[in-house]
Amino acid sequence: MAFAALAAGSLVALALAIGLSVGIGDLPIPLATTWTALTNRLGWTAVPLDRITETVIWDYRLSRALVAAFCGAGLALSGAILQSLLRNPLAEPYVLGISAGASTGAVAIIILGLGAGAVSLSAGAFVGAFAAFCFVALLSNGTRGGADRTILAGVAASQLFNAVTAYIVTTSGNAQQARDVMFWLLGSFGGVRWPEFTLVAVIVGIGLVACLCYATTLDTFSFGDQTAASLGVDVGKARMVLFGLTAVMTATIVSMVGSIGFVGLIVPHAARALIGPLHLRLLPACALVGAVFMVLADVASRALIPHQVLPIGVVTALVGVPFFSLILYRLQRAA
């Protein structure tokens, strides 16, 4: 019952948040106008609308809101999986160094001009993210590496790729390029459109379905690798598949919108407090709550300062840091 109520409430909140997101901007758009534009495009109605308004809704703001929703869902889903696999309540999607690797790949395209214009920013970021994941897999001894070794390998990868990124930026000699890179690194939905929505929706959708197939396995991982093995789980195979799924989802999201922290950390804890630890319910709940959270964070990034858009990572950090402190406090009291 708790899960059904949470799912229904989250879906309603997500629809309202998307409507609010479409209406926020230099051109305010009422929710009724957004609904009319949507039904017109779907062929359900034929109500005349101003062409500029309809274009802003359909070609810019709606795609942005939907990409934000799926990015939030993917990050929250990845965070829940990693917290179970690593048995660490502070684990989140960037613990494997994927964000740092994506940043290095993006910087290499923007500043160094690698690929001679044939490689896009997103493609460069994805290659960097995949390189970081391979580095962590190698350093942690692949599927045989334990949770602690994987975390340490992720820390090492993050430090290495962050150092490379900082070196490239500081030696570029181009202040404007450096500013562009820093803004991208903090996260932005400004450049996403329908092609990005299609890609992230497919990747996160497949990831959710695949992870649900491993829901029972994730429950056993919460008690440790040895317990999972004693219950008949192929620990090495399961770890490889689940780490791979989180890596692909995180790399895809970071390559599109940059690094957005704390979503994968705080949302799984919030969902777990509401419906419990069973992953068959926890994973879809994380996806829904993460989607709502990210859309509202995007709204806040555009509404906090008039005529100026904050990097989305700034907004999520303002919410995430107090929550992170609360988690640390609770862990300290539990100890």
Side-chain angles (χ1 to χ4, degrees):
M1 182 63 70
F3 173 71
L6 177 64
S10 297
L11 287 172
V12 172
L14 180 59
L16 293 175
I18 291 175
L20 178 63
S21 178
V22 173
I24 292 291
D26 293 333
L27 176 64
I29 299 174
L31 185 59
T33 303
T34 300
W35 176 253
T36 301
L38 179 61
T39 55
N40 282 353
R41 185 59 65 100
L42 295 175
W44 299 349
T45 60
V47 180
L49 277 181
D50 177 67
R51 188 172 184 82
I52 294 178
T53 300
E54 192 166 6
T55 300
V56 168
I57 292 172
W58 189 259
D59 294 333
Y60 175 65
R61 294 186 185 173
L62 183 58
S63 59
R64 175 180 180 139
L66 291 174
V67 169
F70 275 94
C71 287
L75 291 175
L77 182 62
S78 298
I81 294 168
L82 290 174
Q83 286 170 12
S84 177
L85 282 178
L86 301 176
R87 302 190 306 281
N88 189 326
L90 301 181
E92 48 101 27
Y94 303 133
V95 74
L96 300 180
I98 293 173
S99 174
S103 301
T104 302
V107 166
I109 298 299
I110 296 174
I111 294 180
L112 299 182
L114 296 185
V119 180
S120 67
L121 171 64
S122 295
F126 190 87
V127 170
F130 184 74
F133 176 71
C134 292
F135 178 83
V136 171
L138 180 65
L139 203 60
S140 63
N141 200 23
T143 60
R144 295 181 295 277
D148 292 339
R149 185 166 181 169
T150 301
I151 293 175
L152 291 174
V155 171
S158 295
Q159 293 298 320
L160 172 62
F161 284 95
N162 282 333
V164 173
T165 300
Y167 176 79
I168 295 173
V169 172
T170 54
T171 58
S172 67
N174 190 319
Q176 183 58 47
Q177 281 186 335
R179 287 186 59 187
D180 293 342
V181 168
M182 294 307 299
F183 191 87
W184 184 86
L185 292 178
L186 290 172
S188 172
F189 292 110
V192 296
R193 297 294 184 268
W194 289 112
E196 288 78 12
F197 163 72
T198 302
L199 177 59
V200 74
V202 170
I203 294 297
V204 174
I206 292 174
L208 175 59
V209 172
C211 291
L212 285 174
C213 295
Y214 281 86
T216 304
T217 300
L218 284 167
D219 290 337
T220 63
F221 269 114
S222 299
F223 299 99
D225 291 356
Q226 291 183 349
T227 301
S230 67
L231 294 173
V233 175
D234 187 339
V235 174
K237 178 183 177 182
R239 285 172 64 88
M240 178 183 296
V241 171
L242 291 169
F243 275 136
L245 287 171
T246 59
V248 170
M249 286 191 289
T250 304
T252 301
I253 292 168
V254 174
S255 68
M256 287 183 183
V257 299
S259 303
I260 304 174
F262 290 103
V263 179
L265 173 64
I266 63 177
V267 171
H269 285 286
R272 199 176 287 113
L274 291 172
I275 63 167
L278 292 179
H279 286 83
L280 190 61
R281 296 179 298 177
L282 178 64
L283 295 180
C286 285
L288 288 170
V289 176
V292 175
F293 176 79
M294 188 68 88
V295 174
L296 291 178
D298 183 44
V299 171
S301 73
R302 289 179 283 153
L304 288 176
I305 302 178
H307 309 296
Q308 185 174 345
V309 179
L310 290 173
I312 191 69
V314 172
V315 178
T316 57
L318 290 174
V319 177
V321 169
F323 197 93
F324 184 80
S325 302
L326 178 61
I327 295 173
L328 289 177
Y329 176 73
R330 291 181 62 182
L331 289 175
Q332 183 179 6
R333 291 198 61 181

